[in-house]
Amino acid sequence: MRRPTLEAVAARAGVSRATASRVVNGQTTVAPHIRDAVLRAIDELGYVPNSAARSLVTQRTDSVALVVSEPGTRVFSEDPLFSTAIRSALVELEAINKQVVLMLASSPKSHARVERYIAGGHVDGVMLLSMHGADPLPSALSRLRVPVVSYGRPAVPVDIPFVDNDNVGGAEAGVRHLVETGRRRIATIAGPQDMIAGQDRLAGYRNVLRDSDRRSIVAVGDFTRESGAVAMRQLLGDDPGLDAVFVANDLMAVGALQSLRQAGRRVPDDVAVVGFDDIEAAKYTEPPLTTLRHPMMEQAAAMVRLLLNLFEGGPTDPIILPTELVVRESS
Amino acid sequence: MRRPTLEAVAARAGVSRATASRVVNGQTTVAPHIRDAVLRAIDELGYVPNSAARSLVTQRTDSVALVVSEPGTRVFSEDPLFSTAIRSALVELEAINKQVVLMLASSPKSHARVERYIAGGHVDGVMLLSMHGADPLPSALSRLRVPVVSYGRPAVPVDIPFVDNDNVGGAEAGVRHLVETGRRRIATIAGPQDMIAGQDRLAGYRNVLRDSDRRSIVAVGDFTRESGAVAMRQLLGDDPGLDAVFVANDLMAVGALQSLRQAGRRVPDDVAVVGFDDIEAAKYTEPPLTTLRHPMMEQAAAMVRLLLNLFEGGPTDPIILPTELVVRESS
DNA sequence: ATCTCATGAGAGAGCGCTCTCTCATCCATT
DNA sequence: AATGGATGAGAGAGCGCTCTCTCATGAGAT
């Protein structure tokens, strides 16, 4: 009934437990015929090592926590960026044989839960998918002396390796594109200003407007579609004459497009729209959305590499990946 | 340097390891002043139980695997249904203090990986997020005698408790709605026919058409936006006179709307469109999409309940949750 | 023929915890 | 005063594995 142990394998193969262990762990100091006997026993008994016992002695768990620190539940399910990031990380971690424990850190309560879990030594490392600036998690975790890498530059200056895309540069490219196509009154729907991505993309917008001698027109959303729609209505109220809007993410851009449609503005004839992220849905909006693409798979891969380096002592400098302007019909 | 053990806590509190363990595990047979002493020691030392040691003796891991068995990588990242399901399950499992190990079972290779992992006794149970009929995983897992519940009725008749929504009933309601609003030539974009959801929703469509004496016009997609767009073009080629289309999921409906737009058809004037799932994006299409809602949170909760019953011996009958027609402007 | 040394295999400690058994203590009962 | 039963706490086995240490064996060197 119970799963076979190494002891059973050893007994069946007529060797000691130590030798069986050597075979299981691929040590080479075992004579071929003995190794074969052990392998046969393993096969016949359907032996699978007990991981609890193993990690009890090795002090490793071969698993990492993927902590999604996102207070707004809506964003997690709706922003495909999250699932893309998760999937990418999953694929990369599978490749190096690490299990992934997925955890939500939304409320302070779940926050404590995560900390306790990590402190419990359940995982060898942590990948943080968090963006909120005030997030106490990065510093809390780094205090636990657990290897931590972050997706997105942590807002508080904490010494955690991270991967990010070039938010400022991307925003600049997007707004510059609007300037170069002759738009005069370029508004922006900024992301939440307690997120680095929100701040940086707004900074990029301001940089270009300043240089091109235009006035900035700003509304702030929270990266949800709904907030994009609301912000767009607000912008149209503030400045009915605007002829372009740079939206800090595609999800809000979708909302903005809806509001523009409802207000009777044609895109791109009356108002040009540029988003950020290049989510799949950007191809399917009416009209398809001009946006800034950043390679999620590569970012996930970079994160995993950073974590590995943290384990094994390689370089852990932050990695900033470039963005690429994808021009579609909304601009 | 090393994390404190129960032994250290006991020593500091001046009690035996057994007593310290009693306090940690909340047993009541400890005198208050001793319990306080132990708690103080725990606090001072920052003690956290070693889970490997614990599960070595208890034979429990307090974690469950969430296996996403989806060959198409696109669907996982794009279909918000997946992330919603994952988030919901996560929330529900957190509530009962289970960790969640997320695994992808796309390739045969990762398949083997998952099986090995589950067989390794790393988890107390498995939640399967799978839809492909030919999926060998359900039967493979149930053979391992691990508690398994499935989201979506398994295609092969395997004795696994599952949760699903009423796909047939929902499809019927959607198509009936089209009939009742006077549509005559109602096509469908069906889902992949190796998925139960694909089959059942097509069955529902056929049921109503048969009863209302209409001819069925069918194209098949794979639940992706892209395939919806392709299928819609195909339907328009097959029967330019169609005046309604029931699409087996919202993602494909988004693609279909795009194709209809490109073909110059007005929605709903020329062609009515009904989707399925009520994803967030359905509110933001042009025009907003009529669709069938099924409560993801409740389904996740039901799954967790089933799993719990599997652990503790409660009822494990399949749970089928109703769907609800949400009428918007596309019909 | 003796000694040295690499090689392969076993013995056994110990990782940190839970849980059963055992035992001491104390209060209520006769 | 003697007994019985709660009650609370300790001793110690053991979960399944890894890994160091030890030892037996045989090949090569002297």
Side-chain angles (χ1 to χ4, degrees), chain B residues 33-270:
Chain B
H33 69 281
I34 295 213
R35 132 177 263 103
D36 286 347
V38 173
L39 289 176
R40 205 173 323 118
I42 287 174
D43 198 46
E44 287 166 3
L45 294 175
Y47 170 76
V48 183
N50 178 314
S51 50
R54 176 177 280 171
S55 58
L56 181 58
V57 31
T58 59
Q59 309 275 16
R60 282 181 300 102
T61 62
D62 285 328
S63 61
V64 309
L66 189 55
V67 178
V68 179
S69 177
E70 175 52 54
T73 56
R74 294 183 320 220
V75 178
F76 177 79
S77 355
E78 286 311 319
D79 198 330
L81 231 49
F82 270 97
S83 28
T84 306
I86 291 173
R87 187 177 55 78
S88 306
L90 222 46
V91 169
E92 294 293 332
L93 286 166
E94 275 186 3
I96 58 166
N97 247 302
K98 297 278 179 201
Q99 276 359 286
V100 179
V101 178
L102 187 60
M103 309 193 80
L104 249 38
S106 35
S107 63
K109 191 178 153 200
S110 64
H111 235 88
R113 220 181 85 91
V114 169
E115 263 194 69
R116 211 173 332 112
Y117 186 73
I118 310 273
H122 292 72
V123 293
D124 298 341
V126 180
M127 294 179 63
L128 214 49
L129 236 63
S130 152
M131 273 88 247
H132 276 281
D135 201 331
L137 211 50
S139 26
L141 292 182
S142 83
R143 222 177 298 120
L144 289 173
R145 315 187 139 284
V146 178
V148 181
V149 300
S150 165
Y151 176 71
R153 177 158 61 87
V156 284
V158 56
D159 192 25
I160 291 182
F162 66 89
V163 175
D164 210 337
N165 53 69
D166 183 7
N167 287 307
V168 176
E172 287 173 352
V175 179
R176 205 176 300 121
H177 163 71
L178 290 171
V179 170
E180 284 165 2
T181 51
R183 303 291 169 166
R184 297 299 312 165
R185 296 168 86 159
I186 305 172
T188 190
I189 299 178
Q193 292 304 296
D194 62 339
M195 292 194 192
I196 289 293
Q199 291 170 23
D200 284 2
R201 292 175 190 180
L202 178 57
Y205 164 82
R206 287 198 202 279
N207 289 349
V208 175
L209 282 215
R210 194 188 322 110
D211 294 349
S212 65
D213 205 35
R214 284 167 171 78
R215 196 168 54 84
S216 60
I217 315 166
V218 181
V220 177
D222 66 2
F223 279 159
T224 63
R225 252 178 286 236
E226 181 59 30
S227 76
V230 171
M232 192 67 240
R233 279 196 290 274
Q234 192 181 316
L235 285 176
L236 288 173
D238 290 355
D239 186 345
L242 61 83
D243 62 0
V245 55
F246 167 69
V247 191
N249 78 339
D250 286 353
L251 224 45
M252 292 198 296
V254 170
L257 284 176
Q258 198 194 35
S259 289
L260 285 168
R261 202 156 44 224
Q262 285 167 356
R265 301 292 210 284
R266 287 166 309 160
V267 176
D269 312 42
D270 301 333

Side-chain angles (χ1 to χ4, degrees), chain B residues 88-89 92 296-306:
Chain B
S88 306
E92 294 293 332
M296 209 60 217
M297 279 301 286
E298 282 176 38
Q299 293 186 64
M303 274 186 82
V304 173
R305 208 174 322 123
L306 278 183

Side-chain angles (χ1 to χ4, degrees), chain A residues 35-55:
Chain A
R35 132 178 262 101
D36 286 348
V38 172
L39 289 176
R40 206 174 322 120
I42 287 174
D43 198 46
E44 287 165 2
L45 295 174
Y47 170 75
V48 183
N50 179 314
S51 50
R54 176 177 278 170
S55 59

Side-chain angles (χ1 to χ4, degrees), chain A residues 225-290:
Chain A
R225 253 179 285 235
E226 180 59 29
S227 76
V230 171
M232 191 67 240
R233 282 195 288 274
Q234 192 181 317
L235 285 176
L236 287 173
D238 290 354
D239 186 345
L242 60 86
D243 61 1
V245 55
F246 167 69
V247 191
N249 78 339
D250 286 353
L251 224 45
M252 291 198 298
V254 170
L257 284 175
Q258 197 193 36
S259 288
L260 285 168
R261 201 155 46 223
Q262 284 168 355
R265 301 293 209 284
R266 287 166 308 158
V267 176
D269 311 43
D270 301 333
V271 179
V273 178
V274 172
F276 205 114
D277 289 342
D278 193 26
I279 64 177
E280 181 74 11
K283 296 184 203 155
Y284 292 87
T285 52
E286 164 59 14
L289 194 62
T290 294

Side-chain angles (χ1 to χ4, degrees), chain A residues 41 54 74 88 93 96 102 117 134 140 181 190 202 269 279 329:
Chain A
R54 176 177 278 170
R74 294 184 319 222
S88 306
L93 286 167
I96 58 167
L102 187 61
Y117 186 74
T181 50
L202 179 57
D269 311 43
I279 64 177
E329 293 154 41

Side-chain angles (χ1 to χ4, degrees), chain A residues 7-195:
Chain A
E7 190 82 53
V9 170
R12 184 173 192 111
V15 299
S16 72
R17 199 176 57 245
T19 301
S21 174
R22 286 189 186 99
V23 174
V24 169
N25 292 291
Q27 289 197 32
T28 50
T29 65
V30 181
H33 70 281
I34 295 213
R35 132 178 262 101
D36 286 348
V38 172
L39 289 176
R40 206 174 322 120
I42 287 174
D43 198 46
E44 287 165 2
L45 295 174
Y47 170 75
V48 183
N50 179 314
S51 50
R54 176 177 278 170
S55 59
L56 181 57
V57 33
T58 60
Q59 309 276 15
R60 284 181 299 102
T61 63
D62 285 328
S63 62
V64 310
L66 188 55
V67 178
V68 180
S69 177
E70 175 53 54
T73 56
R74 294 184 319 222
V75 178
F76 176 79
S77 355
E78 286 311 319
D79 198 329
L81 232 49
F82 270 97
S83 28
T84 306
I86 291 172
R87 187 176 54 79
S88 306
L90 222 47
V91 169
E92 295 292 333
L93 286 167
E94 275 186 2
I96 58 167
N97 248 303
K98 297 278 179 201
Q99 276 358 286
V100 179
V101 178
L102 187 61
M103 309 193 80
L104 250 36
S106 35
S107 64
K109 191 178 153 200
S110 64
H111 234 88
R113 221 180 83 91
V114 169
E115 264 195 69
R116 211 174 331 114
Y117 186 74
I118 310 273
H122 293 72
V123 292
D124 298 340
V126 180
M127 294 178 65
L128 213 49
L129 237 62
S130 153
M131 274 85 252
H132 275 280
D135 201 332
L137 212 50
S139 26
L141 292 183
S142 81
R143 222 177 300 119
L144 289 174
R145 315 188 140 281
V146 178
V148 181
V149 300
S150 166
Y151 175 72
R153 177 158 60 86
V156 284
V158 58
D159 192 26
I160 290 182
F162 66 89
V163 175
D164 211 337
N165 52 70
D166 183 8
N167 286 308
V168 176
E172 287 174 352
V175 179
R176 205 175 301 120
H177 163 69
L178 290 171
V179 169
E180 285 165 2
T181 50
R183 303 291 170 167
R184 295 299 314 166
R185 297 169 85 159
I186 305 173
T188 190
I189 299 177
Q193 292 303 297
D194 62 339
M195 292 195 191

